[in-house]
Amino acid sequence: MSTTDFTEDTGYTSSYLADQHAGQLARLRTLERAFDPLSQEVFNQLDLTHTSAILDLGAGAGSFARWLSKRYLDATVTATDIDTRFLADIPGIRVLTHNAATDGFPAASFDVVHARALLCHLSEREEILTRAATWVRPGGWLVIEDVSLQPSLSTANPLFRKVAEAGVTLLEQTIGSNMRWADTLAAGLRARGLSGVGQRTLEGRIGDNSLADAFWAATTAQAGPALLKLALLTQDDLDAMARLRADPGFDEAALTFVSAWGQVPLPE
Ligand SMILES: C[S@@+](CC[C@H](N)C(=O)[O-])C[C@H]1O[C@@H](n2cnc3c(N)ncnc32)[C@H](O)[C@@H]1O
């Protein structure tokens, strides 16, 4: 049984997903294993030939910032997070403690600004998106990636839907997350005047022993004590869900991983 200390505060840093949680680094590694190859594909299709400064906002455990520093050897990669404990020992990156909701950067500081699995969790997401676009130099790119849980909320399986609804309620109530916001990403970039906007949406499933399945299981396990404490689920529900996921006949869409990118226009 976990001994997570619950506070009355809401927000990512006081939640069951915060970095001080014992399982957080292992959970972030499951996220990186599932999504790094997908993020790399997005960057590889952008023309970033003359890139000298890249920002990875809310960089977490830093594997993607590390990849950026090796992929773009002439660029300075700045990795920020509100809690930088997992970024300390990564070579080749500049690490900055930075709260995306309240701290800024001078206008046009970066050729590329990237944020993954961050803005869906921050209630100030719309304002941060607007501000992040100003940190990109004209001609540079804003690349935002997030997870939508819409598929698990639409499942016909009653137990899986109950667990999904409880998980989304927990995220909304204790963090302020919006787990459908990813579906609006491309429209959000267009609304901010970006050009060349593109979007890619990929499905992640559970019950199939995939990398997305491992990420879903690690996140659900970490949420367990909070789900029980808030009476959103019972231990019987969690046990039944574990049995369902292990059932060879069960394999369902759980999430989509949405990537959207857009270019800050050059002056006329
Ligand atoms: C789900 S993790 C994603 C990490 C990383 N972007 C990735 O995809 O591997 C979210 C990260 O955002 C950080 N975070 C939460 N609130 C933040 C804030 N207000 N400003 C900056 N980072 C924040 C957390 O500490 C955590 O490392």
Side-chain angles (χ1 to χ4, degrees), residues 12 19 27-28 31-32 57-60 81-83 98-101 116-118 121-122:
Y12 197 97
D19 288 354
R27 192 187 76 87
L28 287 177
L31 184 159
E32 293 175 340
L57 200 62
D81 204 284
I82 200 164
D83 183 337
H98 180 277
N99 182 342
R116 183 177 73 185
L118 172 69
H121 293 305
L122 303 184

Side-chain angles (χ1 to χ4, degrees), residues 2 5 24 72 147 167 185 191 196 217 268:
S2 163
D5 178 26
Q24 177 68 353
Y72 304 101
V147 169
L185 271 178
E268 303 262 311

Side-chain angles (χ1 to χ4, degrees), residues 164-238:
E165 283 169 356
V168 168
T169 301
L170 180 68
L171 284 158
E172 286 172 356
Q173 287 184 359
T174 62
I175 299 183
S177 310
N178 180 339
M179 297 316 296
R180 296 180 187 88
W181 186 73
D183 301 322
T184 71
L185 271 178
L189 297 186
R190 279 192 205 95
R192 285 162 179 84
L194 272 67
S195 59
V197 172
Q199 174 172 331
R200 187 196 61 185
T201 301
L202 296 174
E203 186 180 86
R205 301 182 74 79
I206 66 163
D208 59 354
N209 286 318
S210 61
L211 295 169
D213 174 64
F215 168 61
W216 185 93
T219 303
T220 304
Q222 199 157 312
L227 288 164
L228 297 177
K229 182 181 166 79
L230 296 182
L232 292 167
L233 291 176
T234 64
Q235 189 60 52
D236 283 351
D237 294 327
L238 292 173

